[in-house]
Amino acid sequence: MEPGAQQQPTMPAGEPAATAGAAAPAATATAAAEAQSLDDLAALLRDLRRRHAREQRDSQLTYRELAQRTGWSQAAIAEYFTARTLPPTDRFDALAEVLGAAPAERRALADARDRVEENQRRAKQGRNAGADNESGSRTSLLPTPLPAPLPSVTVGPRQLPADSALFTGRDDELARLLAAAGGAGAAGQPGAVVTCAIGGMGGVGKTALAVHAAHRLAERFPDGQLFLDLYGFSDNRAPRDPGDALAALLHSLGVPPQRIPADLDARAALYRDRLAGTRTLLVLDNAADEAQVAPLLPAAATCLVLVTSRRRLAALDDAVPVPLDVLPPEEAVAILRRAARYDSHPADDALWHQAAELCGRLPLALVIAAALLRTGGKAWNLRRLLDRLAARRAGDELAGYTDESRSLTAMFDVSYQTLAEQERLLFRRLSLLAGSQLDAHAAAALLDTDLETADLLVQRLADHSLLISVSPGRYRIHDLVHAHARTAADSCAEHGCEAAHGRLLDYYQHTAQRAGSLIDRVPRSEPRGNAPRHAPPLPDQEAAHLWLRTERADLESAFDDALCHGAGASVVGLAAGLAQIMNADGPWPRALALHEAALAAAEQLDDRPGQANALSDLGRVRRLSGDLAGADEALTRALRLYRDLGHRRGEAGALVDLGRVRTLIDDPSDGEAALAQALALYRGLDDRLGQATALAELGGARYVAGDFAGAADDLTEALTRYQDLDHRLGQAIALTELGRVRSFLGDLPGATDALSRALDLFGDLGQRQGQATTLTELGRVRQLTGDFTGSADALVHALQLYRDLGHRYGQAFALTELGVVRQATRDYAGAADAFNQSLRIYRALGIRGNEAYTLNHYAALLLATGECARALDLYRQALGMHRELNKPDDEGHSLEGIGECELARGDTGQGTKHLRLALEIFQRLNMRSDVDRVLSRLGKIRTLVYATSSPTSSPTSSPDARPTRRTP
């Protein structure tokens, strides 16, 4: 885009119509002949896109589909269709061909593109001439919108559970769902989102129908298929809160935890925004009521929602009702036979029908009955199955899940009675699960047995369809089966349940704490509580991450269960185990609540080590969520407790976190002091990872304080230690900080090398925040070398990542750097807008040092455009803030700017005075490029004064003037 040109907002999938009706080839050629602007050209492309859809009798090609066909990015496609960027000649011609333009049309469109390019070139020349003409009007600093976040090029979520080969019948209901889906999925089609509400009793096959239909429809919804259990009628846990459901859906759509708002309405708005213009299919399983579902409905008519519930969701006025009853007799028998895989004679047909009727023709009961025949060997046949079903028919323990004529209890109890004694014991112990899944390790804890035995018993329950396999070695228990397990446990009243429950909680909390310690950069305390007999090996960080993410839902359920039953020690331990994965994946409001509950439990138990750990974890989450004052308070309390306890490793960890927080809140001297204390403690403990982390953070703090040589030494040592430990994340962080420091010491090749290495490491690790930070620094270094195009590319990419992460501090930093590049390329309006946005964020966050840093750059922009009085005022504001905050390097740049303003006003004496004050600071800090620049400037002034004895002409502040700030 040309400097200063007005940008258009990005439309993700369906754009507003540019012209009415379809553009036939002749009409297109005529419109092309009249096209003069980028808007005209984009409108022609949109017309072609709509016409292509009509001719193909299909929905409009999405940006993703166009990107797949052309091999370009979705970002580029979006810019071409929304008049943000003029496509290169070869790409424009290729787009016209993909969209089915006739040869004559393509020639007319090519001429139109060339004409628009020539108009843009002339407009640019006119703007540049106006900017260079001192007698003309000044450039207006009207805000220019920044590029909207680039569309994601990742594949949409594919979350549908596996379809079942046993699915039979339901032809009428399936036809109704497929017909309803015909009203969705067509881009640009008006109307409300298409919703189908599948209702019926428990076990009737609502989920099976929804999943089967979703698989049939998946190709019509290429932007993703989402699946979420709402736990509306789950006996072992409360219905999922709509806010938590939205957080889970947003996370599945790629929204980082940092960006998920705390407020329900804000989450719903962001969710609708994410799905706008997409073709996405959503399955909401086991809904409690309409109030739970309503916030989860997209606003896009191109989406399809399938909801299952035991209630009739009458208040969902737009929903298509799809009620389910038990299966017709023939379909019930077909499922029973298919699932049993049992050889029989035609004379047995009547027996099959009797068995299906005794199962109430309920799909879940039919599958369980079939498992008895399939796995029971010679001990079972149709006649014995009928006898047992008839004998148990009177049982009605699961009356809440049945109607008057059908009982699941008989079916479940028949299965239970066929189990061996150890299998029955495990089945009863399943009632102790707070979550819905388990593996052999959890089963071993419940039974206090060896891993091999536990694994065999779990497989046996799965063979009887009492557990459902979800992945290798991992199983899920249906909520109705879970209810029967509780009934069986209550009727048995056996001893040992309390001890089994305690062993399960010990297994969860101890293993989670061990996994968390593997992925944390700051060394953590040893896991507390009783170690389980058996736990997964977790040999490295990758294994630890995988285990925590796999078990997270069950860990949180266990935490809620412990909290509900007053098991304070488990509350404390489970919160500590969940800390690291919740920091990484969020949502942070949930993490805050979890650590606050753990702190309260530890205080009630008078568990001072637990209090210290909970405060430390709470302080970290508060820092991540932007509450720096709250983080400082929690970490200070944790530090006092660790010191009182003589816990040196905990004390060192709290000091590292506290040093980081205080550096961010513009208290670098206190931050540096805390980090120096942490380093000394880690050295005394001979903790190499702790030393590396403390050195890396200390180098960052010294950089902020202007001690570049000291920062370089600390970061080089930290990098060496991380390399010795093969800690790749630590290496990437140290390299980023080192690249930043080298740039301020004038070693731009060294800075580029370090940052490029860091970027590769962050990319390999999938660390988007690290990538964003490194790209920001790389953009700044490229700007210093004069590579403005490369600089802008890196900064726009960084800004996109920061926005995706919801990282406002990082956004502000990238915006400031982007403003510098725009100023250097004479996009003054764009630069002013970037600086204004950055200042708003810094002021909202209360980060005064970075605010003053941006004020220096904004003042330089004003000076460059001739607004000398305003520039001088901003420079003086920034100077006062830099001196108050003890930022000597930034103070030097403010003094240099004031000198340039005085020179522009004709006061050579005051101008040279302030330049010399700036030079003294730059020389003291060994800022070589800044020293060279100011010396060159003073030399030119002396030459001009000697030659003309008159004030120097109005200067433009050098883009090399680089006040320092540290990105978080």
Side-chain angles (χ1 to χ4, degrees):
M1 182 169 226
E2 299 298 335
Q6 184 68 27
Q7 298 168 339
Q8 303 296 321
T10 299
M11 301 291 290
E15 310 87 343
T19 59
T28 300
T30 301
E34 298 174 353
Q36 298 294 325
S37 69
L38 189 56
D39 285 329
D40 296 335
L41 207 60
L44 291 170
L45 289 176
R46 294 197 294 269
D47 281 339
L48 276 175
R49 183 172 172 223
R50 283 189 289 273
R51 194 180 86 196
H52 178 272
R54 283 190 294 272
E55 290 175 349
Q56 299 297 319
R57 296 187 178 180
D58 199 359
S59 57
Q60 290 187 43
L61 292 170
T62 65
Y63 292 163
R64 177 178 293 154
E65 289 165 341
L66 284 170
Q68 291 170 348
R69 294 193 184 193
T70 61
W72 311 329
S73 70
Q74 284 183 254
I77 298 292
E79 292 190 352
Y80 301 158
F81 277 87
T82 55
R84 289 179 56 200
T85 300
L86 180 67
T89 302
D90 57 338
R91 290 195 171 190
F92 187 83
D93 293 344
L95 266 180
E97 184 172 357
V98 167
L99 295 175
E105 287 179 290
R106 289 204 294 271
R107 288 193 296 272
L109 289 166
D111 291 342
R113 185 214 165 274
D114 294 342
R115 186 164 57 253
V116 170
E117 183 177 37
E118 177 63 19
N119 290 341
Q120 287 188 341
R121 185 186 65 78
R122 291 176 179 175
K124 179 179 178 181
Q125 289 177 341
R127 285 194 297 271
N128 290 343
D132 291 335
N133 185 356
E134 291 185 3
S135 63
S137 59
R138 296 295 181 189
T139 302
S140 172
L141 296 184
L142 295 175
T144 299
L146 287 169
L150 298 178
S152 171
V153 296
T154 59
V155 176
R158 302 289 187 267
Q159 295 183 343
L160 295 180
D163 199 2
S164 173
L166 300 179
F167 187 87
T168 302
R170 302 295 193 194
D171 292 339
D172 292 342
E173 294 85 354
L174 188 59
R176 181 177 294 185
L177 292 174
L178 297 180
Q189 189 171 7
V193 62
V194 177
T195 304
C196 297
I198 305 171
M201 64 180 292
V204 80
K206 301 181 295 296
T207 301
L209 174 62
V211 170
H212 183 75
H215 278 282
R216 290 275 300 268
L217 294 165
E219 289 185 1
R220 299 194 200 177
F221 300 89
D223 294 317
Q225 302 99 46
L226 299 167
F227 182 94
L228 188 66
D229 189 344
L230 298 178
Y231 307 125
F233 294 89
S234 177
D235 192 55
N236 63 306
R237 62 189 301 172
R240 196 189 288 260
D241 178 81
D244 293 340
L246 284 167
L249 290 168
L250 287 168
H251 186 68
S252 299
L253 291 168
V255 179
Q258 302 93 325
R259 195 178 176 187
I260 296 176
D263 178 69
L264 173 64
D265 291 340
R267 286 186 183 182
L270 179 59
Y271 168 70
R272 292 191 296 270
D273 180 72
R274 276 286 168 145
L275 292 182
T278 70
R279 289 185 282 168
T280 303
L281 188 154
L282 175 63
V283 179
L284 299 175
D285 191 36
N286 201 9
D289 53 31
E290 298 90 329
Q292 186 187 33
V293 172
L296 313 183
L297 297 179
T302 53
C303 295
L304 173 68
V305 183
L306 305 180
V307 186
T308 74
S309 178
R310 293 181 192 174
R311 290 184 179 178
R312 291 183 296 173
L313 304 177
L316 293 182
D317 296 329
D318 291 331
V320 177
V322 184
L324 289 188
D325 199 351
V326 295
L327 290 167
E330 294 300 327
E331 292 180 7
V333 170
I335 284 184
L336 188 59
R337 282 185 157 180
R338 185 179 298 178
R341 292 193 286 275
Y342 179 85
D343 292 330
S344 65
H345 297 91
D348 292 333
D349 285 353
L351 299 181
W352 285 109
H353 279 271
Q354 289 179 42
E357 290 298 329
L358 285 170
C359 291
R361 289 186 273 125
L362 200 63
L364 180 60
L366 291 164
V367 170
I368 295 174
L372 295 173
L373 293 174
R374 186 177 67 250
T375 63
K378 294 182 179 180
W380 281 88
N381 58 25
L382 264 174
R383 180 62 64 184
R384 186 182 184 206
L385 175 65
L386 288 170
D387 291 342
R388 296 298 295 269
L389 287 174
R392 303 298 300 180
R393 185 65 189 223
D396 201 22
E397 290 91 339
L398 292 178
Y401 296 99
T402 63
D403 62 19
E404 294 179 355
S405 63
R406 292 176 289 261
S407 172
L408 282 178
T409 301
M411 192 65 261
F412 294 149
D413 199 49
V414 168
S415 242
Y416 173 72
Q417 294 299 331
T418 64
L419 300 175
E421 183 53 41
Q422 277 294 94
E423 294 165 4
R424 292 185 191 182
L425 177 60
L426 176 57
F427 182 76
R428 294 193 299 270
R429 293 280 168 87
L430 293 180
S431 65
L432 301 174
L433 289 175
S436 61
Q437 295 189 12
L438 82 159
D439 61 5
H441 293 98
L446 286 171
L447 296 175
D448 197 20
T449 189
D450 61 89
L451 197 60
E452 184 177 355
T453 299
D455 189 34
L456 179 61
L457 292 172
V458 170
Q459 290 182 51
R460 287 294 296 152
L461 293 186
D463 289 342
H464 285 268
S465 295
L466 295 172
L467 290 175
I468 304 166
S469 176
V470 294
S471 62
R474 191 163 184 82
Y475 301 86
R476 177 173 64 85
I477 183 170
H478 191 281
D479 54 356
L480 300 182
V481 178
H482 206 168
H484 188 68
R486 278 189 290 277
T487 299
D490 292 342
S491 64
C492 185
E494 66 182 77
H495 298 293
C497 284
E498 185 175 346
H501 188 240
R503 288 193 301 270
L504 181 66
L505 292 178
D506 285 341
Y507 160 67
Y508 280 140
Q509 63 182 312
H510 196 278
T511 311
Q513 289 179 62
R514 186 162 60 88
S517 67
L518 285 173
I519 64 177
D520 201 341
R521 245 175 93 232
V522 177
R524 293 182 67 85
S525 303
E526 290 297 317
R528 305 175 70 204
N530 299 319
R533 284 180 58 182
H534 304 284
L538 304 182
D540 51 34
Q541 290 183 346
E542 183 177 356
H545 267 116
L546 178 61
W547 187 87
L548 283 168
R549 288 196 168 105
T550 300
E551 295 285 355
R552 174 171 169 172
D554 292 301
L555 290 170
E556 288 197 60
S557 294
F559 174 87
D560 293 337
D561 182 53
L563 189 63
C564 178
H565 290 90
S570 295
V571 168
V572 175
L574 286 164
L578 280 161
Q580 303 313 306
I581 200 64
M582 295 195 79
N583 286 353
D585 295 352
W588 291 338
R590 167 68 167 161
L592 288 169
L594 184 130
H595 294 309
E596 286 166 355
L599 177 59
E603 289 172 342
Q604 186 173 2
L605 293 169
D606 196 24
D607 176 5
R608 300 180 74 209
Q611 293 174 47
N613 293 339
L615 283 164
S616 183
D617 290 330
L618 183 61
R620 283 193 182 188
V621 180
R622 284 178 176 174
R623 173 176 66 81
L624 290 169
S625 59
D627 180 10
L628 298 183
D632 190 286
E633 183 269 338
L635 292 167
T636 300
R637 289 175 60 193
L639 180 61
R640 284 198 298 265
L641 278 169
Y642 283 130
R643 283 174 172 167
D644 290 345
L645 293 165
H647 194 314
R648 297 173 68 202
R649 180 168 276 106
E651 178 185 352
L655 283 166
V656 167
D657 288 325
L658 197 59
R660 178 70 162 175
V661 168
R662 290 183 176 172
T663 300
L664 289 173
I665 58 177
D666 296 319
D667 194 358
S669 58
D670 278 1
E672 187 175 335
L675 291 164
Q677 292 178 55
L679 179 59
L681 284 168
Y682 281 132
R683 282 175 172 160
L685 294 166
D686 194 27
D687 189 323
R688 294 189 299 158
L689 176 60
Q691 292 173 46
T693 299
L695 282 164
E697 295 298 333
L698 187 58
R702 287 181 173 167
Y703 157 81
V704 171
D707 180 7
F708 301 134
D713 291 343
D714 288 339
L715 289 164
T716 301
E717 186 178 352
L719 177 61
T720 300
R721 291 174 182 267
Y722 280 132
Q723 289 170 335
D724 292 342
L725 294 167
D726 195 26
H727 199 295
R728 300 177 73 207
L729 177 60
Q731 293 174 47
I733 292 171
L735 282 166
T736 298
E737 297 286 341
L738 193 58
R740 182 183 294 123
V741 171
R742 284 177 177 172
S743 72
F744 283 94
L745 290 173
D747 181 10
L748 298 184
T752 301
D753 175 68
L755 293 168
S756 299
R757 289 164 61 194
L759 192 59
D760 289 342
L761 282 168
F762 281 128
D764 291 343
L765 294 167
Q767 290 279 344
R768 294 195 298 165
Q769 179 172 325
Q771 289 177 280
T773 301
T774 307
L775 282 165
T776 304
E777 288 303 316
L778 196 58
R780 186 179 61 78
V781 171
R782 286 175 177 172
Q783 188 267 333
L784 292 174
T785 64
D787 179 10
F788 299 126
T789 301
S791 176
D793 289 344
L795 291 168
V796 169
H797 189 187
L799 184 59
Q800 174 193 345
L801 287 171
Y802 279 132
R803 282 173 166 165
D804 288 344
L805 290 166
H807 198 312
R808 298 182 68 205
Y809 190 174
Q811 290 176 51
F813 194 91
L815 283 163
T816 297
E817 299 301 329
L818 190 57
V820 173
V821 174
R822 286 179 170 176
Q823 178 184 344
T825 56
R826 297 199 173 196
D827 180 7
Y828 297 137
D833 185 59
F835 291 145
N836 275 314
Q837 290 192 54
S838 178
L839 286 170
R840 283 196 295 271
I841 295 173
Y842 283 140
R843 287 164 179 164
L845 295 175
I847 303 176
R848 298 181 69 240
N850 285 38
E851 177 189 347
Y853 164 79
T854 305
L855 282 174
N856 269 351
H857 284 303
Y858 202 176
L861 171 65
L862 293 169
L863 179 59
T865 56
E867 297 191 51
C868 185
R870 289 184 62 200
L872 185 59
D873 180 59
L874 291 188
Y875 272 130
R876 286 171 175 166
Q877 287 183 46
L879 178 63
M881 295 169 72
H882 291 317
R883 285 175 171 170
E884 177 187 346
L885 298 169
N886 191 26
K887 308 288 185 186
D889 53 324
D890 290 338
E891 177 187 349
H893 289 110
S894 294
L895 287 166
E896 181 184 3
I898 291 172
E900 293 288 2
C901 287
E902 296 291 0
L903 290 169
R905 299 198 321 178
D907 192 338
T908 305
Q910 284 296 315
T912 54
K913 171 188 172 182
H914 284 89
L915 289 176
R916 290 191 180 103
L917 290 172
L919 179 62
E920 292 174 4
I921 293 175
F922 295 149
Q923 289 172 330
R924 183 175 77 247
L925 297 177
N926 195 25
M927 296 170 66
R928 297 171 189 169
S929 61
D930 299 276
V931 168
D932 293 343
R933 182 183 62 254
V934 177
L935 282 174
S936 174
R937 181 69 171 132
L938 288 169
K940 291 177 181 178
I941 293 170
R942 284 194 295 271
T943 300
L944 286 170
V945 170
Y946 177 79
T948 64
S949 298
S950 63
T952 184
S953 60
S954 177
T956 297
S957 181
S958 167
D960 288 342
R962 310 297 293 123
T964 63
R965 284 292 83 216
R966 182 187 185 194
T967 48

